[in-house]
Amino acid sequence: MANKSKELQIGDQIPIFQLQNQNGELINIQDFIGKQNLVIYFYPKDDTPGCTKQACSFRDQYEDFNHLNAEVFGISGQSVSSHKEFAEKHRLNFNLLCDVNNTVRKQFGVPTNFFGLLPGRVTYVVDRSGKIVHIFNSQFRAEEHIEQAKNILKQLE
């Protein structure tokens, strides 16, 4: 089934959304716009090898993102309990947001891979105004998402 949403591009404003995090708290992205840069990354599934590697890289470099005035959000379609288990198991120190119906994934137009069978792995770097300044789409180079995001954030500061 094709994703009919238009893929957001560099220069587009991100949609305003609210999702629960791994602790069941409702996170409103609008609370961060105007204050910080954002790194919003969509990943396929909790506790799979590539997603774990990516999440742990964000965890290990989270302080670097703080120094670059950026907040990190991981988004996938699993439940609060799945995210909580994943976050606790790997001591994740940032918000994992539950997009159970893939509503936000569709708003961003995140493409699927492998003939639509696997949710895409895409990272968006968003400036303080809520505008997308960088997009990195790679299913298999999970850790490269972190390096690319940091390099773009350094240019923003």
Side-chain angles (χ1 to χ4, degrees), residues 43-71:
Y43 65 99
K45 194 166 187 231
D46 290 341
D47 226 9
T48 55
C51 297
T52 299
K53 192 181 291 186
Q54 183 179 26
C56 289
S57 287
F58 272 116
R59 175 201 66 205
D60 294 346
Q61 297 178 61
Y62 186 70
E63 283 304 310
D64 296 345
F65 287 100
N66 276 342
H67 291 306
L68 293 165
N69 193 30
E71 191 56 55

Side-chain angles (χ1 to χ4, degrees), residues 86-119:
F86 183 45
E88 286 176 354
K89 180 177 179 182
H90 299 288
R91 300 178 320 282
L92 302 181
N93 50 2
F94 55 91
N95 283 298
L96 296 180
L97 303 180
C98 305
D99 189 19
V100 178
N101 298 318
N102 290 317
T103 309
V104 176
R105 183 177 283 274
K106 288 176 187 144
Q107 287 177 317
F108 275 76
V110 178
T112 55
N113 295 317
F114 300 109
F115 309 105
L117 298 175
L118 194 61

Side-chain angles (χ1 to χ4, degrees), residues 12-27:
D12 288 347
Q13 198 72 21
I14 63 166
I16 299 304
F17 61 88
Q18 296 181 59
L19 292 171
Q20 283 186 306
N21 71 4
Q22 67 267 36
N23 299 314
E25 302 161 338
L26 194 61
I27 303 294

Side-chain angles (χ1 to χ4, degrees), residues 77-90:
Q78 286 73 58
S79 66
V80 169
S81 60
S82 175
H83 279 1
K84 187 167 188 63
E85 195 176 301
F86 183 45
E88 286 176 354
K89 180 177 179 182
H90 299 288

